[in-house]
Amino acid sequence: MSIPPTTKGHAPFGTHRTWYRVTGDLASGRTPLVLVHGGPGSTHDYLLRLAALAEDGRPVVHYDQLGNGGSTHLPHRGADFWTLGLFLDELDNLLNHLGIADDYVLFGQSWGGVLAAEHAAARPAGLRGLVLANSPASYPVWLEEMAVLRAALPADVQETLRRHEAAGTTGSAEYWQATLEFYGRHVCRLDPWPREVAASFMEIYNDPTVYHTMNGPTEFHVTGTLKDHSVIDRLPAVDVPTLLISGRHDEATARCVQPFFDHIPDVLWEVFEESSHMPHVEEPERFDAVMRGFLAGLDAA
C-alpha cells in the first residue's frame, strides 16, 4: 500500500501560527492520529516515518510546536512565555482548527509524551486513545537516571562534559562531540542517523530558544524550567486506553516510564529490545506492528 497524499497549512494561534501536515483525509471517517513531537523545541521531522500509518486509511497529523520548524519563531521571548500551558493551548487550538477535537488519538514522543499525558489528564471528550513513547513521567527522576547513564560513559567523556558544564561552555564543539557518545548509546543507536532525525537536531541548533529555555543544553543536562516538573499525581485521571513505548537502551529508562504504568488505569507497556529513544526508526517493522495492533484495538472498542 502507498502513503496517501499530504496537505499542509498553518493554524492561527493568537498572533502566531502553528504549522501542520495531514497525511490522508480527515473526512475519511477514521479516527486521526495526532503526533506530538519532543524537545521541547524540536520539530516533526524525526517522526515523519509515522506517516506510513496512514496507509490503512487513518489520517496522520504532524505539527511543529510554536517556536520551531514551520511555526512562528519567537527568539526574544523569555521563560515566562514558554510554558507547559502555552503548548497545551496550542494543541487544543490545532485540534479545533482541524475540526477533530471530538475524535482523535494522541501520540506523544519524549517531551511530547509529557505534554500528551497532561492533555489526557484533563479528560478531553474527544480523546480515544493515548500513546506515550520514550517519555519521562518526572523530570527529577529523569535527572537521577541521567546521572546513572552518564556514569557509564568513558571517563574522558565524563570529564569533558563536567568541565564544560562547570565553565558554562556547553556551546563548544568539544562539548558537542562528547555529547554524541551519550546520544549514540541512548538517543538513536543507528549509524549514521536517518536524515529526518538529523534534520530535527539541526532545527534545534538553528533556533535553540525553546530547548535551552525549557530543557537545557543537552538531553542529560536539564537546567531549564522543566527540571522540577512531574505529571505523576495527575496520571490516575487518564481514562483512555494507553500504550507505553520505550527502548531497552532508552534515555527514558524503565524507572522514568514506570509511573505511567503504575498510575494510568488502562495501560500496556511495550519494550523494544534493540532500541534506545527512537524505536520508530531503530525497529520500524516491530514499531509499526505494535502501533497498528493498538490502533486496531481502539477501533474495535
Side-chain angles (χ1 to χ4, degrees):
M1 299 177 67
S2 60
I3 299 175
T6 63
T7 56
K8 301 175 184 179
H10 288 90
F13 179 47
T15 59
H16 313 306
R17 301 197 307 168
T18 301
W19 179 93
Y20 65 84
R21 159 187 163 143
V22 179
T23 305
D25 183 4
L26 291 177
S28 66
R30 301 291 302 279
T31 300
L33 176 67
V34 180
L35 308 176
V36 186
H37 67 68
S42 185
T43 60
H44 77 284
D45 300 85
Y46 77 99
L47 295 175
L48 270 174
R49 72 160 307 278
L50 273 71
L53 296 173
E55 290 176 351
D56 61 0
R58 178 186 310 281
V60 174
V61 178
H62 291 80
Y63 76 103
D64 285 337
Q65 294 162 28
L66 192 67
N68 288 87
S71 296
T72 305
H73 288 235
L74 298 158
H76 303 300
R77 291 297 190 110
D80 59 333
F81 180 80
W82 302 110
T83 65
L84 175 73
L86 172 76
F87 292 106
L88 288 171
D89 290 345
E90 182 186 34
L91 176 56
D92 287 340
N93 181 74
L94 177 67
L95 296 172
N96 285 310
H97 176 81
L98 295 176
I100 59 175
D102 60 349
D103 184 36
Y104 61 100
V105 176
L106 207 55
F107 174 101
Q109 201 276 337
S110 195
W111 140 260
V114 178
L115 188 61
E118 294 279 9
H119 176 89
R123 296 188 172 180
L127 183 63
R128 302 290 174 247
L130 179 67
V131 183
L132 304 176
N134 321 101
S135 301
S138 162
Y139 277 92
V141 172
W142 171 278
L143 282 167
E144 291 172 3
E145 290 297 282
M146 292 305 101
V148 173
L149 296 179
R150 283 179 61 147
L153 295 174
D156 60 326
V157 173
Q158 294 185 54
E159 188 279 328
T160 299
L161 295 173
R162 285 194 299 267
R163 174 162 43 85
H164 284 287
E165 288 163 3
T169 52
T170 55
S172 71
E174 186 183 35
Y175 184 79
W176 171 247
Q177 192 62 41
T179 68
L180 293 179
E181 182 70 31
F182 181 96
Y183 284 24
R185 295 182 181 203
H186 302 298
V187 177
C188 183
R189 293 166 67 85
L190 300 180
D191 186 14
W193 282 0
R195 180 176 298 179
E196 63 270 24
V197 173
S200 279
F201 275 86
M202 285 305 300
E203 290 278 4
I204 295 173
Y205 177 82
N206 289 334
D207 187 348
T209 304
V210 182
Y211 188 76
H212 284 179
T213 300
M214 297 184 72
N215 185 81
T218 65
E219 295 292 278
F220 50 81
H221 188 51
V222 180
T223 57
T225 56
L226 286 175
K227 68 181 185 301
D228 298 318
H229 185 78
S230 172
V231 70
I232 293 174
D233 65 349
R234 292 175 292 289
L235 296 178
V238 176
D239 63 351
V240 294
T242 300
L243 170 65
L244 304 178
I245 289 173
S246 66
R248 181 63 65 193
H249 309 282
D250 206 330
E251 61 179 352
T253 65
R255 184 168 171 244
C256 291
V257 178
Q258 188 70 43
F260 292 123
F261 188 74
D262 291 342
H263 297 291
I264 295 176
D266 183 0
V267 64
L268 170 70
W269 188 356
E270 292 281 353
V271 177
F272 287 72
E273 296 294 335
E274 303 303 322
S275 293
S276 57
H277 200 51
M278 299 188 182
H280 62 281
V281 295
E282 293 171 290
E283 294 181 68
E285 294 82 9
R286 182 173 173 231
F287 176 88
D288 287 356
V290 167
M291 282 293 297
R292 286 196 162 97
F294 177 70
L295 294 168
L298 297 178
D299 290 341

